[in-house]
Amino acid sequence: MNDVGKRNWPPIFPIIYHDINVDIDEAYEKSLAKRSFNLWKMYCVTLMINLVAVIALATTRIWNSMISSIILAALYLLILPVVDFAGRHWNLYRGLRTQSSLLLRVFLVAQVIFLIFDLLLGIGWFAGGGGGIIAATECFRRKKVGAGILSLICVSSAFAQLVLNGILLIKVYKLFESKGYTLLPGGKK
């Protein structure tokens, strides 16, 4: 992944070169890359909140399989930030840096996949998605207010992520089209 310059990211143990301000010239494209990076950081925080919400739910004993949910939420926190960065943000960053229609296509597909995942996480259809609406509703029904509030915080974060990523998807798609690119390789506009 080290295409340009010296490895500088993540700061603690640099493995890639990543510098939006240096590598992307157009102000609008730079703003899209920065928005994507900030959304990635927000995603990491959302997954941390999700883990805390799942642990809080485990203390309420609402469901029997809470240990597996905690393990799954911890795995989400360990794996999904890397997958999101590599599959979504990194493709947008490199696509904007090199003006690659292929990388921008990969970003658009990955963005749709993550939007679906955020929606399902916010609803609470996944075990390990303890902050979902389903869990929050059950907590309040059983008068487990603390866990319900944590679940609602997670739901709010997941749905904010969903909306902001949806806006980013639309903006990148409009940019994609304005450059004359098509979703199918070799397609004519």
Side-chain angles (χ1 to χ4, degrees), residues 115-136:
L115 286 172
I116 293 167
F117 184 81
D118 284 342
L119 177 63
L120 296 176
L121 186 66
I123 292 171
W125 279 344
F126 293 134
I133 291 173
I134 295 168

Side-chain angles (χ1 to χ4, degrees), residues 57-115:
L57 283 170
T59 65
T60 65
R61 301 186 190 280
I62 288 178
W63 288 292
N64 295 331
S65 63
M66 290 312 294
I67 296 298
S68 62
S69 293
I70 291 171
I71 292 169
L72 193 55
L75 287 173
Y76 287 169
L77 182 58
L78 292 173
I79 296 169
L80 291 180
V82 175
V83 172
D84 182 48
F85 187 89
R88 195 187 53 78
H89 171 71
W90 187 246
N91 285 304
L92 178 62
Y93 166 73
R94 288 185 51 220
L96 294 173
R97 188 182 81 209
T98 63
Q99 298 300 304
S100 167
S101 63
L102 174 63
L103 291 171
L104 292 175
R105 276 187 203 97
V106 172
F107 164 80
L108 292 170
V109 170
Q111 187 74 338
V112 169
I113 291 168
F114 273 90
L115 286 172

Side-chain angles (χ1 to χ4, degrees), residues 17 21 32 46 50 76 97 109 126 135:
Y17 174 79
N21 290 323
L32 292 175
T46 299
N50 182 63
Y76 287 169
R97 188 182 81 209
V109 170
F126 293 134

